[in-house]
Amino acid sequence: MGEKTGTHPGAAGRAVTADRPSSVRNVVLVGHSGSGKTTLVEALALATGAVNRAGRVEDGGCLSDYDEIEHRQQRSVQLSLVPVEWGGIKINLLDTPGYADFVGELRAGLRAADAALFVVSAADGVDGATRLVWDECAAVGMPRALVITHLEAARADFEEMTETCRAAFGGDDPDAVLPLYLPLRGAPGPDGHAPVTGLIGLLSQRVFDYAGGERSDSEPTADQLPLIEEARNRLIEGIIAESEDETLMDRYLGGAEIDVKTLIEDLEKAVARGTFHPVLAAAPATDGARHGLGTVELLELITGGFPTPLERENPTVTTPQGAPRPPLACDPEGPLAAEVVKTSSDPYVGRLSLVRVFSGTLRPDETVHVSGHGLEDRGHEDHDVDERVGALSAPFGKQQRTLPQAIAGDLACVAKLSRAETGDTLSAKDDPLLMEPWVMPDPLLPVAIQAHSKPDEDKLSQGLARLVAEDPTMRLEQNQDTHQVVLWCLGEAHKDVALERLRSRYGVQVDTVPHKVSLRETFAEKAGGRGRHVKQSGGHGQYAICEIEVEPLPGGSGIEFVDKVVGGAVPRQFIPSVEKGVRAQAARGVAAGYPLVDVRVTLLDGKAHSVDSSDAAFQTAGALALREAAAESRIDLLEPVVEVRVLVADEHVGAVMSDLSGRRGRVMGTEQSPGGLTLIKAEIPEIEIGRYAIDLRSLSHGTGRFSRSYARHEPMPRQLADRLREQAAQNGG
């Protein structure tokens, strides 16, 4: 693992295939935006021969030609797969966005992978969001390694950054996070900065020189060995501490020399178990070079130390009806069970589904069962349908290379699955299965949109459906109270990408409008009203008079209608008409155009005409009576109040609580959570937290999380209510 020499030809110009699960490694790259993940993927592709020195694939196109939105924004916004080959092993590299708004793509990458490479920039350090992802991986025992990039930056210090990683990721055992190599620096340049030109292997005590553009190895000089002695001893002790051979530590402490081969074997086992996390350094190849610094070492770590799909436990499966099924093994001959981890649209191929096969073998042109997937609240209907699989392919930039099949443990793109969405399960049509879905983050930023023009309006519904099908972290809401179309997103960048995709992919131009919350109206005091609808215009006229009393009720009571008419003043057949008119007017509102709730309307008296009274007349009279009562009473505007649960690091608690108070929030309590976190429970008016998903990220340096749930409606402060009434009057409401 990284201590070996020799060449490993890659797979230029052809699709990389796997014939058995043991020859597959699925690796997800994790790190903050700008840490160098995509650059590292390209360097690994170059080192394996998958691309040439210009970074282009043999059959045309550039490896980094992913999405025009990514080029425009200069950052990754979606999960991308780059398959390469090293020493007969197929490596599926899953490059994830580093920006918090695209955490859904990151979670999909974690689901599809069996190990994670955490990419840390020596120039920027470790951010809080990356720590959170590390903890997620630790919770499920995913093997992890660290790669330090940007060593060419001024004042970049590998040893200092390694100590930072040990403190951030080591937890109770910092000796489980240790470097396998130390960088060698060349002669200082005119600016005084000494570039990293090679690595010293701590176990093999060999020098791996990249200065000439191709990796070469040699014996260390006499003055280089003392530089690695302390780090080498610490690494050996760290490996032995994780060894399954309990006698190894006693032998080492007794002064025995432990064979390097034994140490490497124990190291590889500890990495695969997820109990030891090696630190490496990497840099892209210089002009004209094939090997970037540390790329060979990293590829040998992946192939030698990271687990095969056979070593990872498959997700739980049931029948689509929820009946339990035995655990699935990673067996190409087993029952088919695959999962759609990403859905995208290609202008030439149509819908493409990136699929991880967990069991069985997926073949083109066969019919599979699609089951999914418990996200009805986000606009994704549950479905159980049979679909015919189109062509299987491996992506490479914008190229799609045909695959004959995809076996258990491998990933592939599937064409023409018109109903399958992200998170869905593919299984045999005569043995349908459903996989336990991974946790999706809740979209908490509301974006109200409307079609830009009439042609856009005609295409809007279909465009939104396709957009939401691609992205399960987005929720589509057709709000019945405000009559707005609302896209719930994870943040501002997520919103921008969604609207750009609507425009560029689906030809739908939309405008954003202010998001409205579902306000209500209610009577603050008892009031009476008289509705008189009397008209005579030849022939049958209209005659209906009713008198009502309105009184407020406790929150959540809705509208009660009580009949207290005596003596037949209002004929029995017209009493339901009065109620219908009252309820219709209540739905339209009586002050600012918001629905009226939590009142009891009592019909006390009225008058009718034997000829001119009718159902319609008494409906109109009931509505007029309610409006007159409202004119004689004080009407409160009720705003929705939500309960929020905010989880933040202890050092941000004060800022977050102060911010909540400034939003008219009421803090209901706090609880200590593991890992130096605090859970804050508060109630806050919904109108105050429209952009809280963005603001909390700023307050907590990207580490805060929150959830929200509706609590109740309660009266809005008079000053705010008056302002909204004025706005409603100006808008003709």
Side-chain angles (χ1 to χ4, degrees):
M1 187 202 317
E3 299 284 25
K4 307 160 190 175
T5 60
T7 59
H8 296 259
R14 63 178 176 84
V16 182
T17 59
D19 57 359
R20 60 192 186 283
S22 60
S23 65
V24 178
R25 304 291 185 274
N26 297 310
V27 182
V28 61
L29 283 81
V30 178
H32 66 77
S33 186
S35 61
K37 298 184 299 299
T38 301
T39 302
L40 180 59
V41 168
E42 292 173 347
L44 294 174
L46 177 60
T48 59
V51 296
N52 61 30
R53 296 184 183 184
R56 303 189 71 80
V57 300
E58 189 172 281
D59 50 352
C62 184
L63 178 60
S64 57
D65 285 342
Y66 298 127
D67 190 304
E68 60 185 59
I69 298 174
E70 294 179 312
H71 283 290
R72 196 174 301 119
Q73 299 200 4
Q74 295 296 300
R75 64 182 169 199
S76 297
V77 300
Q78 61 180 352
L79 174 70
S80 60
L81 168 65
V82 176
V84 298
E85 184 178 327
W86 185 255
I89 301 296
K90 179 181 181 181
I91 305 172
N92 289 314
L93 297 170
L94 292 153
D95 186 11
T96 64
Y99 198 64
D101 279 15
F102 307 106
V103 66
E105 303 281 329
L106 168 62
R107 295 272 177 85
L110 292 172
R111 176 68 159 214
D114 302 311
L117 274 179
F118 279 74
V119 183
V120 178
S121 168
D124 301 325
V126 179
D127 68 331
T130 304
R131 288 191 183 97
L132 292 177
V133 180
W134 181 277
D135 291 340
E136 283 188 34
C137 292
V140 297
M142 176 174 278
R144 286 145 284 153
L146 295 115
V147 183
I148 296 178
T149 60
H150 296 161
L151 289 172
E152 73 282 1
R155 296 183 298 278
D157 189 314
F158 178 83
E159 289 77 8
E160 181 181 323
M161 188 50 60
T162 298
E163 290 304 313
T164 298
C165 291
R166 281 163 52 80
F169 304 125
D172 297 331
D173 187 12
D175 283 340
V177 180
L178 291 169
L180 299 185
Y181 307 86
L182 291 184
L184 278 177
R185 293 192 178 272
D191 59 355
H193 181 69
V196 177
T197 59
L199 302 169
I200 302 181
L202 294 180
L203 293 182
S204 65
Q205 301 186 89
R206 301 284 294 178
V207 174
F208 302 102
D209 187 4
Y210 285 85
E214 297 284 343
R215 179 183 186 254
S216 63
D217 74 292
S218 60
E219 295 282 348
T221 61
D223 59 341
Q224 289 173 335
L225 284 176
L227 298 177
I228 69 170
E229 183 177 358
E230 181 181 347
R232 184 174 193 269
N233 290 337
R234 181 190 286 183
L235 174 61
I236 291 173
E237 291 172 8
I239 294 171
I240 292 174
E242 300 297 336
S243 174
E244 296 176 339
D245 184 351
E246 297 179 358
T247 69
L248 208 58
M249 182 62 77
D250 293 335
R251 288 160 49 199
Y252 177 73
L253 294 176
E257 185 72 25
I258 308 300
D259 181 58
V260 170
K261 182 180 178 182
T262 300
L263 291 172
I264 292 176
E265 289 175 352
D266 281 344
L267 170 63
E268 291 176 342
K269 291 176 183 177
V271 171
R273 287 197 309 270
T275 58
F276 188 85
H277 316 293
V279 182
L280 298 91
T286 55
D287 291 343
R290 183 166 71 91
H291 289 151
L293 177 81
T295 52
V296 173
E297 288 74 19
L298 186 51
L299 288 164
E300 290 180 346
L301 166 69
I302 292 171
T303 55
F306 279 174
T308 72
L310 296 167
E311 299 170 73
R312 304 294 296 161
E313 185 176 336
N314 278 338
T316 302
V317 293
T318 65
T319 67
Q321 293 73 36
R325 288 290 302 266
L328 292 176
C330 181
D331 180 3
E333 303 301 322
L336 177 63
E339 189 170 38
V340 180
V341 294
K342 177 178 173 59
T343 309
S344 60
S345 294
D346 184 276
Y348 304 105
V349 183
R351 181 178 289 190
L352 276 176
S353 303
L354 177 60
V355 170
R356 162 75 190 254
V357 183
F358 289 97
S359 173
T361 298
L362 185 64
R363 297 179 175 86
D365 299 323
E366 69 178 349
T367 300
V368 298
H369 187 79
V370 180
S371 303
H373 50 59
L375 293 173
E376 284 187 284
D377 63 321
R378 301 190 189 183
H380 303 261
E381 63 177 12
D382 286 352
H383 49 263
D384 284 290
V385 296
D386 290 340
E387 284 206 78
R388 189 176 184 84
V389 172
L392 300 184
S393 60
F396 216 85
K398 288 188 175 180
Q399 305 296 318
Q400 291 290 333
R401 295 170 173 171
T402 303
L403 293 174
Q405 62 182 23
I407 64 168
D410 204 359
L411 288 101
C413 286
V414 183
K416 299 180 181 178
L417 288 178
S418 60
R419 294 292 301 277
E421 299 181 5
T422 302
D424 283 356
T425 303
L426 308 183
S427 54
K429 65 177 182 178
D430 55 353
D431 185 18
L433 300 172
L434 181 65
M435 285 193 174
E436 182 182 35
W438 68 88
V439 177
M440 297 285 187
D442 288 326
L444 295 169
L445 177 68
V447 182
I449 60 173
Q450 62 185 24
H452 181 71
S453 64
K454 182 64 171 68
D456 293 312
E457 189 173 328
D458 295 337
K459 296 182 290 185
L460 181 60
S461 178
Q462 183 180 8
L464 287 173
R466 294 172 69 182
L467 181 72
V468 174
E470 290 186 17
D471 188 353
T473 64
M474 189 174 292
R475 177 160 62 90
L476 177 62
E477 176 191 7
Q478 306 271 356
N479 193 296
Q480 300 302 313
D481 293 330
T482 64
H483 307 292
Q484 284 189 317
V485 176
V486 183
L487 275 179
W488 288 83
C489 304
L490 294 174
E492 198 76 29
H494 192 206
K495 175 205 77 173
D496 292 343
V497 168
L499 299 187
E500 176 61 19
R501 282 181 176 157
L502 269 180
R503 184 194 66 79
S504 61
R505 288 187 183 177
Y506 308 127
V508 183
Q509 183 79 32
V510 298
D511 300 320
T512 59
V513 295
H515 175 247
K516 301 175 183 178
V517 301
S518 301
L519 300 177
R520 302 282 187 268
E521 300 173 352
T522 194
F523 278 63
E525 57 196 9
K526 184 182 292 188
R530 185 171 189 265
R532 184 176 186 275
H533 184 60
V534 178
K535 288 187 178 181
Q536 190 69 43
S537 57
H540 282 302
Q542 300 180 50
Y543 190 98
I545 298 174
C546 62
E547 295 183 8
I548 63 171
E549 180 182 76
V550 184
E551 56 187 317
L553 292 176
S557 300
I559 295 180
E560 292 183 14
F561 184 85
V562 179
D563 169 26
K564 286 191 176 181
V565 173
V566 295
V570 177
R572 305 307 304 168
Q573 69 268 28
F574 293 135
I575 289 175
S577 304
V578 176
E579 180 179 0
K580 190 174 181 180
V582 166
R583 291 188 179 277
Q585 184 63 52
R588 293 190 295 268
V590 293
Y594 302 109
L596 178 72
V597 295
D598 303 335
V599 293
R600 177 184 292 121
V601 179
T602 303
L603 178 61
L604 301 174
D605 201 358
K607 292 182 180 179
H609 189 277
S610 59
V611 175
D612 293 341
S613 290
S614 65
D615 169 66
F618 271 100
Q619 283 191 48
T620 303
L624 290 170
L626 186 62
R627 283 157 56 183
E628 182 177 290
E632 300 298 322
S633 174
R634 191 179 92 243
I635 302 299
D636 281 341
L637 281 189
L638 302 178
E639 60 181 343
V641 175
V642 295
E643 179 183 311
V644 296
R645 298 166 64 89
V646 188
L647 188 66
V648 292
D650 292 343
E651 61 263 31
H652 302 309
V653 169
V656 170
M657 291 179 68
S658 176
D659 178 74
L660 288 171
S661 298
R663 298 170 186 267
R664 298 191 286 129
R666 297 183 293 271
V667 175
M668 311 302 289
T670 61
E671 294 178 9
Q672 286 301 121
S673 295
L677 301 175
T678 297
L679 179 66
I680 304 169
K681 300 177 183 178
E683 292 183 343
I684 186 169
E686 183 180 352
I687 203 169
E688 299 286 351
I689 62 166
R691 292 179 57 85
Y692 194 59
I694 299 169
D695 299 334
L696 176 62
R697 189 177 297 162
S698 175
L699 283 169
S700 64
H701 298 254
T703 62
R705 291 170 284 174
F706 81 104
S707 62
R708 50 176 277 173
S709 58
Y710 172 77
R712 62 188 172 277
H713 274 71
E714 64 180 35
M716 178 182 285
R718 178 63 55 85
Q719 185 177 2
L720 287 177
D722 290 344
R723 190 186 311 159
L724 286 177
R725 288 193 186 96
E726 291 173 8
Q727 292 174 358
Q730 292 172 1
N731 295 330

